[in-house]
Amino acid sequence: GTVKESGEKHKGSVEIPNLSEENEVDDTEINVSKKKGEGDVLKDLMRTEGTAKVREALRDYLKALKTEFTLGMILPTKATVGQELAAERKLSGNAVQDSVSPQSLDTVGVKIPTVQILLREIFNSPVDELYSIFTTKELVQKFSKCPAVIEAEKGGKLQMFDGCVSGEYAELVPSQRIVLKWRCRNWPDEHYATVALNFKDMAAQTELQLECKGVPVSNEDSTRQCWKKQYFEEIRILLQQSKDKLE
């Protein structure tokens, strides 16, 4: 800021260390500091009127993030966004590996911090059958239990879970690979992740490798749970039902 009378410029900073859904905006700590030297009048101004302006902006920000979303969402916590993420976690059951790449944190579009999600799952299904579940409208509607828009061709539209998930097909290689431009409804406007689904034939089984790039950091957990529960768990149930009918 600049002192009007003397024209002197002074540098300082505003730090908000604990913004989260657990804190009321009025109780959120806002620290104001400046470099050594004159300019205390600016520091005092930022601590009073400046802090009030900051709280107004935070109130609008949290209100936007708290928009209801049926798949759930996680707001920013006290952890620093740039903090190194958990590198790898082993899971039991059919999930072979569940990992997050710490190098994948980047900035997309309007400086939205994002992360990459990697999942590998084993399905008791031939590869062509599993591939068709992601590209056939009737099968998508069966496992999602909702009306869906599935135009399985390059540039074709995708809409699922009553519009909570939308996007389009960017690449399709039958029984091998699907690439989607994919987003959840509560994400920032026009922000999409890139989802790659790679199918590996294992005779009576199929290994599905999911790579989801560009997920907003604040939505990492909800996006992971969406794929695990709304997609993978329901697809397993559908496959088992089909198997039971044949038997």
Side-chain angles (χ1 to χ4, degrees):
T2 303
V3 179
K4 187 175 180 180
E5 288 79 7
S6 63
E8 293 180 349
K9 292 184 178 180
H10 300 277
K11 290 185 178 181
S13 63
V14 176
E15 181 186 15
I16 304 161
N18 62 344
L19 178 65
S20 78
E21 75 280 10
E22 300 169 1
N23 299 78
E24 293 294 332
V25 171
D26 290 339
D27 297 329
T28 300
E29 184 178 358
I30 298 177
N31 298 328
V32 177
S33 61
K34 72 172 184 65
K35 292 190 174 182
K36 291 182 179 179
E38 300 298 324
D40 286 336
V41 63
L42 291 177
K43 185 176 179 181
D44 292 339
L45 184 64
M46 279 303 300
R47 281 179 169 173
T48 54
E49 295 185 33
T51 296
K53 291 291 185 182
V54 171
R55 290 193 193 282
E56 284 181 24
L58 294 180
R59 194 171 284 108
D60 291 341
Y61 173 66
L62 287 177
K63 183 178 179 182
L65 286 182
K66 288 180 179 179
T67 301
E68 290 186 5
F69 180 51
T70 58
L71 296 182
M73 66 177 293
I74 306 297
L75 297 182
T77 64
K78 296 178 183 179
T80 304
V81 163
Q83 190 174 8
E84 185 168 285
L85 301 171
E88 190 170 280
R89 295 191 291 271
K90 297 293 183 180
L91 297 180
S92 58
N94 287 321
V96 179
Q97 184 183 36
D98 173 4
S99 64
V100 173
S101 169
Q103 290 83 20
S104 63
L105 194 69
D106 56 10
T107 301
V108 176
V110 290
K111 296 185 179 180
I112 299 170
T114 67
V115 70
Q116 178 186 45
I117 294 175
L118 302 175
L119 298 171
R120 287 196 296 169
E121 303 279 335
I122 303 296
F123 292 88
N124 294 320
S125 164
V127 65
D128 57 343
E129 182 182 9
L130 184 61
Y131 179 89
S132 68
I133 287 178
F134 287 92
T135 55
T136 305
K137 180 179 178 179
E138 291 74 19
L139 295 177
V140 170
Q141 291 181 154
K142 279 187 178 181
F143 83 75
S144 67
K145 300 179 177 63
C146 293
V149 175
I150 301 295
E151 300 173 355
E153 59 184 18
K154 187 173 181 178
K157 299 301 180 184
L158 166 76
Q159 191 174 88
M160 299 174 61
F161 307 115
D162 289 328
C164 290
V165 165
S166 61
E168 67 180 50
Y169 289 88
E171 180 185 346
L172 296 103
V173 181
S175 300
Q176 293 183 37
R177 178 176 170 84
I178 299 172
V179 179
L180 304 169
K181 182 181 175 183
W182 188 94
R183 64 173 272 111
C184 291
R185 185 167 58 194
N186 70 313
W187 289 7
D189 290 345
E190 302 303 318
H191 180 81
Y192 287 84
T194 299
V195 174
L197 298 167
N198 291 296
F199 300 79
K200 184 178 179 181
D201 190 357
M202 301 171 62
Q205 292 184 318
T206 300
E207 179 184 294
L208 178 61
Q209 300 175 350
L210 177 144
E211 180 181 354
C212 190
K213 293 181 178 179
V215 177
V217 170
S218 59
N219 298 94
E220 178 192 344
D221 288 344
S222 60
T223 301
R224 187 187 305 279
Q225 290 306 310
C226 171
W227 280 101
K228 286 184 176 181
K229 296 184 178 298
Q230 270 75 23
Y231 280 88
F232 299 155
E233 287 186 13
E234 294 300 329
I235 287 173
R236 285 197 174 91
I237 292 172
L238 177 60
L239 290 171
Q240 186 60 48
Q241 290 173 344
S242 298
K243 184 178 179 181
D244 291 343
K245 286 183 179 179
L246 292 175
E247 293 176 352

Coordinates of all heavy atoms in Angstrom, one line a residue, residues 166-224:
S166 N -21.2 -34.9 -15.6 CA -21.4 -34.7 -17.0 C -20.1 -34.6 -17.7 O -19.0 -34.5 -17.1 CB -22.2 -33.4 -17.2 OG -21.5 -32.3 -16.7
G167 N -20.2 -34.6 -19.1 CA -18.9 -34.5 -19.8 C -19.1 -35.0 -21.2 O -20.2 -34.9 -21.8
E168 N -18.0 -35.5 -21.8 CA -18.1 -36.0 -23.2 C -17.0 -37.1 -23.4 O -16.0 -37.1 -22.7 CB -18.1 -34.9 -24.2 CG -16.7 -34.2 -24.3 CD -16.7 -33.1 -25.4 OE1 -17.6 -32.3 -25.4 OE2 -15.8 -33.1 -26.2
Y169 N -17.3 -37.9 -24.4 CA -16.3 -38.9 -24.8 C -15.2 -38.3 -25.7 O -15.6 -37.7 -26.7 CB -17.0 -40.1 -25.5 CG -17.8 -40.9 -24.6 CD1 -19.2 -40.6 -24.4 CD2 -17.3 -42.1 -24.0 CE1 -20.0 -41.4 -23.6 CE2 -18.1 -42.9 -23.2 CZ -19.5 -42.5 -23.0 OH -20.3 -43.3 -22.2
A170 N -14.0 -38.4 -25.3 CA -12.9 -37.8 -26.1 C -12.2 -38.9 -26.9 O -11.6 -38.6 -28.0 CB -11.9 -37.1 -25.2
E171 N -12.2 -40.1 -26.5 CA -11.5 -41.2 -27.2 C -12.1 -42.5 -26.8 O -12.4 -42.8 -25.6 CB -10.0 -41.2 -26.8 CG -9.2 -42.3 -27.5 CD -7.7 -42.3 -27.0 OE1 -7.3 -41.3 -26.4 OE2 -7.0 -43.3 -27.3
L172 N -12.3 -43.4 -27.8 CA -12.8 -44.7 -27.5 C -12.1 -45.7 -28.4 O -12.1 -45.6 -29.6 CB -14.3 -44.8 -27.8 CG -15.3 -44.0 -27.0 CD1 -15.7 -42.7 -27.8 CD2 -16.5 -44.8 -26.5
V173 N -11.4 -46.7 -27.7 CA -10.8 -47.8 -28.4 C -11.5 -49.1 -27.8 O -11.3 -49.4 -26.7 CB -9.3 -47.9 -28.1 CG1 -8.7 -49.1 -28.9 CG2 -8.6 -46.6 -28.5
P174 N -12.4 -49.7 -28.6 CA -13.2 -50.8 -28.1 C -12.4 -51.9 -27.3 O -11.3 -52.3 -27.7 CB -13.8 -51.4 -29.4 CG -13.9 -50.3 -30.3 CD -12.7 -49.4 -30.0
S175 N -12.9 -52.1 -26.1 CA -12.3 -53.1 -25.2 C -10.9 -52.8 -24.7 O -10.2 -53.7 -24.2 CB -12.4 -54.5 -25.8 OG -13.7 -54.9 -26.1
Q176 N -10.5 -51.6 -24.9 CA -9.1 -51.2 -24.5 C -9.0 -49.9 -23.7 O -8.4 -49.9 -22.7 CB -8.2 -51.1 -25.8 CG -7.9 -52.4 -26.5 CD -7.0 -52.1 -27.7 OE1 -6.0 -51.4 -27.6 NE2 -7.3 -52.8 -28.8
R177 N -9.7 -48.9 -24.2 CA -9.5 -47.5 -23.6 C -10.6 -46.6 -23.9 O -11.2 -46.6 -25.0 CB -8.2 -46.9 -24.2 CG -7.8 -45.6 -23.7 CD -6.4 -45.2 -24.3 NE -6.1 -43.8 -24.0 CZ -5.5 -43.3 -22.9 NH1 -5.2 -44.1 -21.9 NH2 -5.2 -42.0 -22.8
I178 N -11.0 -45.8 -22.8 CA -12.0 -44.8 -22.9 C -11.4 -43.5 -22.3 O -10.8 -43.6 -21.2 CB -13.3 -45.1 -22.2 CG1 -13.9 -46.4 -22.8 CG2 -14.3 -43.9 -22.3 CD1 -15.1 -46.9 -22.1
V179 N -11.4 -42.4 -23.0 CA -11.0 -41.1 -22.4 C -12.2 -40.2 -22.3 O -12.9 -40.0 -23.3 CB -9.9 -40.5 -23.2 CG1 -9.4 -39.1 -22.5 CG2 -8.7 -41.4 -23.2
L180 N -12.4 -39.6 -21.1 CA -13.6 -38.7 -20.9 C -13.1 -37.3 -20.5 O -12.2 -37.2 -19.8 CB -14.5 -39.3 -19.8 CG -15.0 -40.7 -20.0 CD1 -15.6 -41.2 -18.6 CD2 -16.0 -40.8 -21.1
K181 N -13.9 -36.3 -21.0 CA -13.8 -35.0 -20.4 C -14.9 -35.0 -19.3 O -16.1 -35.1 -19.7 CB -14.1 -34.0 -21.5 CG -14.1 -32.5 -21.0 CD -14.4 -31.6 -22.2 CE -14.4 -30.1 -21.8 NZ -14.8 -29.3 -22.9
W182 N -14.6 -34.9 -18.1 CA -15.5 -35.3 -17.0 C -15.5 -34.3 -15.8 O -14.5 -33.7 -15.5 CB -15.0 -36.7 -16.5 CG -15.9 -37.4 -15.5 CD1 -16.8 -38.4 -15.8 CD2 -15.8 -37.3 -14.1 NE1 -17.4 -38.9 -14.6 CE2 -16.8 -38.3 -13.6 CE3 -15.1 -36.5 -13.2 CZ2 -17.0 -38.4 -12.2 CZ3 -15.3 -36.7 -11.8 CH2 -16.3 -37.6 -11.3
R183 N -16.7 -34.0 -15.3 CA -16.8 -33.0 -14.2 C -18.0 -33.4 -13.3 O -19.0 -34.0 -13.7 CB -17.0 -31.6 -14.7 CG -18.2 -31.3 -15.5 CD -18.4 -29.8 -15.8 NE -19.1 -29.1 -14.7 CZ -18.6 -28.2 -13.9 NH1 -17.3 -27.9 -14.0 NH2 -19.3 -27.7 -12.9
C184 N -17.9 -32.9 -12.0 CA -19.0 -33.0 -11.1 C -19.7 -31.6 -11.1 O -19.0 -30.6 -11.3 CB -18.5 -33.4 -9.7 SG -17.9 -35.0 -9.5
R185 N -21.0 -31.6 -10.8 CA -21.8 -30.4 -10.9 C -21.3 -29.3 -9.9 O -21.4 -28.1 -10.2 CB -23.2 -30.7 -10.6 CG -24.2 -29.5 -10.8 CD -25.6 -30.0 -10.8 NE -26.0 -30.7 -9.6 CZ -27.1 -31.5 -9.5 NH1 -27.9 -31.6 -10.6 NH2 -27.4 -32.1 -8.4
N186 N -20.7 -29.7 -8.8 CA -20.3 -28.7 -7.8 C -18.9 -28.1 -8.0 O -18.5 -27.3 -7.2 CB -20.4 -29.2 -6.4 CG -19.4 -30.3 -6.1 OD1 -19.1 -31.1 -6.9 ND2 -18.7 -30.2 -5.0
W187 N -18.3 -28.5 -9.1 CA -16.9 -28.0 -9.4 C -17.1 -26.6 -9.9 O -18.1 -26.2 -10.4 CB -16.2 -28.9 -10.4 CG -15.8 -30.2 -9.9 CD1 -16.1 -30.7 -8.6 CD2 -15.0 -31.2 -10.6 NE1 -15.5 -32.0 -8.5 CE2 -14.8 -32.3 -9.7 CE3 -14.4 -31.2 -11.8 CZ2 -14.1 -33.4 -10.0 CZ3 -13.7 -32.4 -12.2 CH2 -13.5 -33.4 -11.3
P188 N -16.0 -25.8 -9.9 CA -16.0 -24.5 -10.5 C -16.5 -24.6 -12.0 O -16.2 -25.5 -12.7 CB -14.5 -24.0 -10.5 CG -14.0 -24.8 -9.3 CD -14.7 -26.1 -9.3
D189 N -17.3 -23.6 -12.4 CA -17.9 -23.6 -13.7 C -16.8 -23.8 -14.8 O -15.7 -23.3 -14.8 CB -18.5 -22.2 -14.0 CG -19.8 -22.0 -13.2 OD1 -20.3 -23.0 -12.6 OD2 -20.2 -20.8 -13.1
E190 N -17.2 -24.7 -15.8 CA -16.4 -25.0 -16.9 C -15.1 -25.7 -16.6 O -14.2 -25.9 -17.5 CB -16.1 -23.8 -17.8 CG -17.3 -23.0 -18.2 CD -18.2 -23.9 -19.1 OE1 -17.7 -24.7 -19.9 OE2 -19.5 -23.9 -18.9
H191 N -14.9 -26.2 -15.4 CA -13.7 -26.9 -15.0 C -13.9 -28.4 -15.2 O -14.9 -29.0 -14.6 CB -13.2 -26.6 -13.6 CG -12.0 -27.4 -13.2 ND1 -10.7 -26.9 -13.6 CD2 -11.8 -28.6 -12.6 CE1 -9.8 -27.8 -13.2 NE2 -10.4 -28.8 -12.5
Y192 N -13.1 -29.1 -16.0 CA -13.2 -30.5 -16.3 C -11.9 -31.2 -15.9 O -10.8 -30.7 -16.0 CB -13.5 -30.7 -17.8 CG -14.9 -30.4 -18.2 CD1 -15.2 -29.1 -18.5 CD2 -15.9 -31.3 -18.3 CE1 -16.5 -28.7 -19.0 CE2 -17.2 -31.0 -18.7 CZ -17.5 -29.7 -19.0 OH -18.8 -29.3 -19.4
A193 N -12.1 -32.5 -15.5 CA -11.0 -33.4 -15.3 C -10.9 -34.2 -16.6 O -11.8 -34.3 -17.4 CB -11.2 -34.3 -14.1
T194 N -9.7 -34.8 -16.8 CA -9.6 -35.8 -17.9 C -9.5 -37.2 -17.3 O -8.6 -37.4 -16.5 CB -8.3 -35.5 -18.7 OG1 -8.4 -34.2 -19.3 CG2 -8.1 -36.5 -19.8
V195 N -10.4 -38.0 -17.6 CA -10.5 -39.4 -17.1 C -10.1 -40.4 -18.2 O -10.7 -40.4 -19.2 CB -11.9 -39.7 -16.6 CG1 -12.0 -41.2 -16.1 CG2 -12.2 -38.8 -15.4
A196 N -9.1 -41.2 -17.9 CA -8.7 -42.3 -18.8 C -9.0 -43.6 -18.1 O -8.5 -43.9 -17.0 CB -7.2 -42.2 -19.1
L197 N -9.7 -44.5 -18.8 CA -10.1 -45.8 -18.4 C -9.3 -46.8 -19.3 O -9.7 -46.9 -20.5 CB -11.6 -46.0 -18.4 CG -12.4 -45.1 -17.5 CD1 -13.9 -45.3 -17.9 CD2 -12.2 -45.5 -16.0
N198 N -8.4 -47.5 -18.7 CA -7.6 -48.5 -19.5 C -8.0 -49.9 -19.1 O -8.0 -50.3 -17.9 CB -6.1 -48.3 -19.4 CG -5.7 -47.0 -20.0 OD1 -5.8 -46.9 -21.2 ND2 -5.2 -46.1 -19.2
F199 N -8.5 -50.7 -20.1 CA -8.9 -52.1 -19.8 C -7.9 -53.1 -20.1 O -7.4 -53.1 -21.3 CB -10.2 -52.4 -20.6 CG -11.3 -51.4 -20.3 CD1 -11.4 -50.1 -20.9 CD2 -12.4 -51.8 -19.5 CE1 -12.4 -49.3 -20.6 CE2 -13.4 -50.9 -19.2 CZ -13.5 -49.7 -19.8
K200 N -7.5 -54.0 -19.2 CA -6.5 -55.0 -19.4 C -7.1 -56.4 -19.3 O -7.7 -56.8 -18.3 CB -5.4 -54.9 -18.4 CG -4.2 -55.9 -18.6 CD -3.1 -55.6 -17.6 CE -2.0 -56.6 -17.8 NZ -0.9 -56.5 -16.8
D201 N -7.1 -57.1 -20.4 CA -7.7 -58.4 -20.5 C -7.0 -59.4 -19.7 O -5.8 -59.6 -19.9 CB -7.8 -58.9 -22.0 CG -8.7 -60.1 -22.2 OD1 -9.2 -60.6 -21.1 OD2 -8.8 -60.6 -23.3
M202 N -7.7 -60.1 -18.8 CA -7.1 -61.1 -17.9 C -7.9 -62.4 -18.0 O -8.3 -63.0 -17.0 CB -6.9 -60.6 -16.5 CG -6.1 -59.4 -16.3 SD -6.2 -58.7 -14.6 CE -5.5 -60.1 -13.7
A203 N -8.3 -62.8 -19.2 CA -9.1 -64.0 -19.5 C -10.5 -63.7 -18.9 O -11.3 -62.9 -19.4 CB -8.5 -65.2 -18.9
A204 N -10.9 -64.4 -17.8 CA -12.2 -64.3 -17.2 C -12.3 -63.0 -16.4 O -13.4 -62.7 -16.0 CB -12.5 -65.5 -16.4
Q205 N -11.2 -62.4 -16.2 CA -11.2 -61.1 -15.4 C -10.7 -60.0 -16.2 O -10.1 -60.2 -17.3 CB -10.4 -61.3 -14.1 CG -11.0 -62.2 -13.1 CD -10.1 -62.3 -11.8 OE1 -8.9 -62.2 -11.9 NE2 -10.8 -62.3 -10.7
T206 N -11.0 -58.7 -15.7 CA -10.4 -57.5 -16.4 C -9.9 -56.6 -15.3 O -10.5 -56.4 -14.3 CB -11.5 -56.8 -17.1 OG1 -12.1 -57.7 -18.1 CG2 -11.0 -55.5 -17.8
E207 N -8.7 -56.1 -15.6 CA -8.1 -55.1 -14.7 C -8.4 -53.7 -15.3 O -8.2 -53.5 -16.5 CB -6.6 -55.2 -14.6 CG -6.0 -54.1 -13.7 CD -4.5 -54.2 -13.7 OE1 -3.9 -55.2 -13.1 OE2 -3.8 -53.3 -14.2
L208 N -9.1 -52.9 -14.5 CA -9.4 -51.5 -15.0 C -8.5 -50.5 -14.3 O -8.4 -50.4 -13.1 CB -10.9 -51.2 -14.7 CG -11.3 -49.8 -15.1 CD1 -11.2 -49.6 -16.5 CD2 -12.8 -49.6 -14.6
Q209 N -7.8 -49.8 -15.1 CA -6.9 -48.7 -14.6 C -7.5 -47.4 -14.8 O -7.8 -47.0 -16.0 CB -5.5 -48.8 -15.2 CG -4.8 -50.1 -15.0 CD -3.5 -50.2 -15.8 OE1 -3.2 -49.4 -16.6 NE2 -2.7 -51.2 -15.5
L210 N -7.7 -46.6 -13.8 CA -8.3 -45.3 -13.9 C -7.3 -44.2 -13.6 O -6.6 -44.3 -12.6 CB -9.5 -45.1 -13.0 CG -10.2 -43.8 -13.0 CD1 -11.7 -43.9 -12.8 CD2 -9.7 -42.9 -11.8
E211 N -7.2 -43.2 -14.5 CA -6.3 -42.1 -14.2 C -7.2 -40.8 -14.4 O -7.7 -40.6 -15.5 CB -5.2 -42.0 -15.2 CG -4.2 -40.9 -15.0 CD -3.1 -40.9 -16.1 OE1 -3.0 -41.8 -16.8 OE2 -2.4 -39.9 -16.1
C212 N -7.4 -40.1 -13.3 CA -8.2 -38.9 -13.3 C -7.4 -37.7 -13.0 O -7.0 -37.5 -11.9 CB -9.3 -39.1 -12.3 SG -10.7 -37.8 -12.4
K213 N -7.1 -36.8 -14.0 CA -6.3 -35.7 -13.9 C -7.1 -34.4 -13.8 O -8.1 -34.3 -14.6 CB -5.3 -35.6 -15.1 CG -4.3 -36.6 -15.2 CD -3.4 -36.4 -16.4 CE -2.3 -37.4 -16.5 NZ -1.4 -37.2 -17.7
G214 N -6.7 -33.5 -13.0 CA -7.4 -32.2 -12.9 C -8.5 -32.1 -11.9 O -9.4 -31.2 -12.0
V215 N -8.5 -33.0 -10.9 CA -9.5 -32.9 -9.9 C -9.2 -31.8 -8.9 O -8.1 -31.7 -8.4 CB -9.6 -34.2 -9.1 CG1 -10.6 -34.2 -8.0 CG2 -9.9 -35.4 -10.1
P216 N -10.2 -30.9 -8.6 CA -9.9 -29.8 -7.6 C -9.5 -30.5 -6.3 O -10.1 -31.4 -5.9 CB -11.3 -29.1 -7.5 CG -11.9 -29.3 -8.9 CD -11.5 -30.7 -9.3
V217 N -8.5 -29.9 -5.7 CA -8.0 -30.5 -4.4 C -9.1 -30.7 -3.4 O -9.2 -31.7 -2.7 CB -6.8 -29.7 -3.9 CG1 -6.4 -30.1 -2.5 CG2 -5.6 -29.8 -4.8
S218 N -9.9 -29.7 -3.3 CA -11.0 -29.7 -2.3 C -12.0 -30.8 -2.6 O -12.9 -31.1 -1.7 CB -11.7 -28.3 -2.2 OG -12.3 -28.0 -3.4
N219 N -12.0 -31.4 -3.8 CA -13.0 -32.4 -4.1 C -12.3 -33.8 -4.3 O -13.0 -34.7 -4.9 CB -13.7 -32.0 -5.4 CG -14.5 -30.7 -5.3 OD1 -14.0 -29.7 -5.6 ND2 -15.7 -30.8 -4.8
E220 N -11.1 -33.9 -3.9 CA -10.4 -35.2 -4.1 C -11.1 -36.3 -3.5 O -11.4 -37.4 -4.1 CB -9.0 -35.1 -3.5 CG -8.2 -36.4 -3.7 CD -6.9 -36.4 -2.9 OE1 -6.5 -35.3 -2.5 OE2 -6.4 -37.5 -2.7
D221 N -11.5 -36.2 -2.2 CA -12.1 -37.3 -1.5 C -13.4 -37.7 -2.0 O -13.8 -38.9 -2.2 CB -12.2 -37.0 0.0 CG -10.9 -37.1 0.7 OD1 -9.9 -37.6 0.1 OD2 -10.8 -36.6 1.9
S222 N -14.3 -36.7 -2.3 CA -15.6 -37.0 -2.9 C -15.5 -37.6 -4.2 O -16.3 -38.4 -4.6 CB -16.4 -35.7 -2.9 OG -15.9 -34.7 -3.7
T223 N -14.5 -37.2 -5.1 CA -14.4 -37.7 -6.4 C -13.9 -39.2 -6.3 O -14.4 -40.0 -7.0 CB -13.4 -36.9 -7.2 OG1 -13.8 -35.5 -7.3 CG2 -13.2 -37.4 -8.6
R224 N -13.0 -39.4 -5.4 CA -12.5 -40.8 -5.2 C -13.7 -41.7 -4.8 O -13.9 -42.8 -5.3 CB -11.4 -40.8 -4.1 CG -10.8 -42.2 -4.0 CD -9.8 -42.2 -2.8 NE -8.9 -41.1 -2.9 CZ -7.8 -41.1 -3.6 NH1 -7.5 -42.2 -4.3 NH2 -7.0 -40.1 -3.7

